[in-house]
Amino acid sequence: MKKNIILILIIALMIMPVFAQDAEAEIEDDGAASLGMYFCAGEFSMIGLHYQQWFGNHGIMVSGGLTGDVFSAVAEYEYCVYSAKFTDILNSRLYLWILGGVDCVNEHNYISSTETYEDNFYVNAVGSLGVGIEFVWWKHLSIPVQFGYVIEAPHKTKMSFSFASGIRYRF
């Protein structure tokens, strides 16, 4: 059942841009680039800094963060499906995203028989896809909200739901 839901989500994400032909971003006066703080919560978690750039309906985002003994670096492609200007101070953008990156983990395991610690270092590939919405206030304050699924492999392979958000300055 879970595999069917994921397959339907992937197909929907690939088909949706076909129906968004006239969804050219209406909020380019907000600034195409932004810098800010970013966090991702779920089985895959990350807190760090990120940079985002829009090129019309296409966007990229790169993020890097450190959580405990885990360093994560990810890149994300975003496709704007719909954008709207609600008032003079509030704009929004609905987008689909796909993410790829690495999760570098340094585990410390306590061995009780020898009373020592064992360090294990491994690198997981991270892949994710989902949907997001970005709210832009006063043409510069941007708050993205994203939902999706994250897959990590090959070490400790797992798949989980993910929520991400942040705050950034558009320029």
Side-chain angles (χ1 to χ4, degrees):
M1 180 64 181
K2 199 178 222 184
K3 290 180 184 178
N4 292 338
I5 293 171
I6 294 169
L7 182 62
I8 291 169
L9 180 63
I10 291 170
I11 291 170
L13 285 173
M14 291 188 313
I15 291 174
M16 286 178 83
V18 172
F19 300 107
Q21 295 171 356
D22 296 326
E24 184 67 34
E26 298 174 9
I27 54 177
E28 288 301 316
D29 61 335
D30 294 336
S34 62
L35 286 171
M37 302 279 301
Y38 181 76
F39 76 89
C40 183
E43 286 285 324
F44 170 76
S45 62
M46 179 178 109
I47 298 173
L49 300 175
H50 75 272
Y51 172 81
Q52 182 198 40
Q53 176 77 45
W54 283 101
F55 305 96
N57 282 351
H58 305 277
I60 58 166
M61 182 179 81
V62 290
S63 301
L66 187 63
T67 308
D69 289 336
V70 180
F71 172 75
S72 302
V74 297
E76 182 175 291
Y77 168 76
E78 300 163 341
Y79 182 80
C80 179
V81 178
Y82 180 76
S83 64
K85 184 172 185 175
F86 296 115
T87 67
D88 288 338
I89 58 172
L90 177 62
N91 299 331
S92 71
R93 179 181 278 137
L94 177 68
Y95 58 93
L96 306 173
W97 54 270
I98 185 164
L99 174 144
V102 294
D103 203 14
C104 304
V105 180
N106 188 16
E107 281 185 337
H108 305 287
N109 298 324
Y110 180 71
I111 303 169
S112 59
S113 61
T114 60
E115 296 183 3
T116 60
Y117 283 93
E118 177 183 80
D119 288 337
N120 293 324
F121 180 81
Y122 63 89
V123 177
N124 254 356
V126 177
S128 182
L129 58 95
V131 64
I133 188 165
E134 174 184 35
F135 299 99
V136 180
W137 281 277
W138 300 287
K139 297 186 179 186
H140 297 290
L141 178 64
S142 168
I143 299 176
V145 178
Q146 298 179 330
F147 301 95
Y149 281 95
V150 177
I151 298 172
E152 294 183 71
H155 188 76
K156 295 191 178 181
T157 302
K158 55 188 166 186
M159 184 175 116
S160 62
F161 181 75
S162 173
F163 168 76
S165 187
I167 187 166
R168 54 192 173 207
Y169 179 78
R170 292 195 110 14
F171 54 92

